[in-house]
Amino acid sequence: MAALEGKVAFVTGAGSGIGRACAVRLAQEGADVGVSDIDLAGAEETAGLVQGAGRKAHVTQCNVASQKQVEESIAATVEALGRLDLCVANAGIARAGTVLELPLKEWQDQLDVNLTGVFLTVQAAARRMVEQGDGGRIVCMASLAAENTGPLSWGYAATKAGVRMMVRGWAGELGPLGITVNAIGPGLIETPLARPLGGDAGSKVRERAVRGIPLRRIGQPEDVAGMVAFLCGPDASYVTGSYLLVDGGLRDAASGWSPDDPNDPRVAEFARYLQDAGTRNEKLQPLIDER
Ligand SMILES: NC(=O)c1ccc[n+]([C@@H]2O[C@H](COP(=O)([O-])OP(=O)(O)OC[C@H]3O[C@@H](n4cnc5c(N)ncnc54)[C@H](O)[C@@H]3O)[C@@H](O)[C@H]2O)c1
């Protein structure tokens, strides 16, 4: 029997990228899926993929920033698919800008979708799970940006750090009710949202991005979906309140250059510094050895 046979999942932002991959993967694991997105055409396409995996799909058009739409979307999913066991609060947007220029509207939109949208989704889903009385699994899409930020991306990062912290609080509230809640921190994943950072295959932007990632590739939505399947599956029954990175090692390589990049003029300089350090170490070594 498939691991998630008999379960019903609800995925927001399921009409593209990571959300679509999550919907398909959960279906492959045996779940029927409520496919929700503000983009109806994208959601319908995903629903076709879920059905192609042999499971039921129910499409709802829903803006996660609207409490009414989220509640109606979850109610319609339960009505159509019978129950709710798994929820992936994935929908998100990115609005980049400097503190001098970012319009209030863009700041507010980002908060409303990335932070309030996750709150509204989790609240409505958790209430339904509590009503059913037999637990549940909730996964929220944070980001590596929950812990790394910089110019232009600080607003997005603030929303994702918020998701990470909300999840920690919710784990304490929902754990006694048998519901786990975890956050995922994707690094650079190949989706329309991340195109400005990851570029297209063969582009200079792509080449540079890949060089900065220890595993030397841009992540695929399926990489994140695999973690979602784990968190929704039997092996994660004792995991809650966690923030799990799926970033190819990017977090700790984020200095922006790699010592094995032959085109980077800093490489030769770096090698000289290393050599000087070696000479200095040789001098000090006898003193260190005296113990
Ligand atoms: N791609 C990455 O590198 C990356 C990295 C870290 C985190 N993330 C996060 O992963 C999640 C999915 O992003 P993605 O990369 O798949 O992007 P994407 O743009 O491919 O997909 C996002 C989906 O969310 C939907 N959406 C946008 N606003 C919505 C709203 N108000 N209500 C409902 N749906 C809405 C879009 O229509 C789209 O289908 C986001 O939360 C994003 O912040 C992505």
Side-chain angles (χ1 to χ4, degrees), residues 40-282:
L40 185 59
E44 280 169 348
E45 211 176 301
T46 302
L49 298 172
V50 166
Q51 286 155 353
R55 298 293 155 183
K56 284 189 212 151
H58 182 261
V59 171
T60 48
Q61 186 174 25
C62 165
N63 174 6
V64 293
S66 155
Q67 185 177 32
K68 183 170 179 290
Q69 290 185 36
V70 171
E71 287 177 353
E72 285 176 0
S73 177
I74 289 188
T77 302
V78 172
E79 171 88 21
L81 300 177
R83 49 182 293 111
L84 182 64
D85 305 282
L86 320 168
C87 170
V88 186
N90 163 78
I93 56 174
R95 298 286 182 262
T98 69
V99 68
L100 297 178
E101 284 166 0
L102 187 76
L104 174 61
K105 171 81 168 65
E106 292 193 16
W107 162 258
Q108 196 65 55
D109 285 348
Q110 194 162 233
L111 283 185
D112 288 352
V113 176
N114 293 7
L115 207 50
T116 307
V118 170
F119 160 65
L120 292 173
T121 304
V122 170
Q123 182 174 69
R127 282 178 175 166
R128 187 64 62 162
M129 290 169 184
V130 170
E131 237 172 70
Q132 284 173 187
D134 53 0
R137 300 286 175 88
I138 296 172
V139 182
C140 300
M141 215 48 75
S143 170
L144 172 58
E147 55 182 313
N148 280 359
T149 191
L152 305 175
S153 66
W154 45 270
Y156 177 77
T159 65
K160 295 302 185 177
V163 169
R164 188 179 173 189
M165 292 309 275
M166 292 195 299
V167 159
R168 289 172 61 178
W170 294 336
E173 295 170 1
L174 299 174
L177 301 165
I179 300 168
T180 69
V181 52
N182 291 289
I184 295 181
L188 184 51
I189 310 296
E190 187 157 15
T191 73
L193 179 140
R195 188 161 175 251
L197 296 175
D200 294 330
S203 67
K204 289 276 172 233
V205 169
R206 171 66 55 94
E207 193 193 312
R208 196 164 179 88
V210 166
R211 230 189 286 132
I213 301 171
L215 289 182
R216 294 292 188 267
R217 67 175 177 88
I218 304 282
Q220 293 302 307
E222 291 72 21
D223 292 314
V224 182
M227 182 63 87
V228 168
F230 164 71
L231 289 171
C232 289
D235 289 335
S237 64
Y238 201 58
V239 182
T240 196
S242 285
Y243 164 75
L244 297 163
L245 280 175
V246 182
D247 73 339
L250 180 59
R251 177 183 60 185
D252 297 319
S255 64
W257 73 290
S258 159
D260 63 1
D261 171 8
N263 301 318
D264 193 315
R266 287 169 293 187
V267 170
E269 206 176 316
F270 181 66
R272 210 181 61 243
Y273 292 147
L274 271 186
Q275 202 176 6
D276 290 352
T279 312
R280 182 164 182 260
N281 289 348
E282 268 169 37

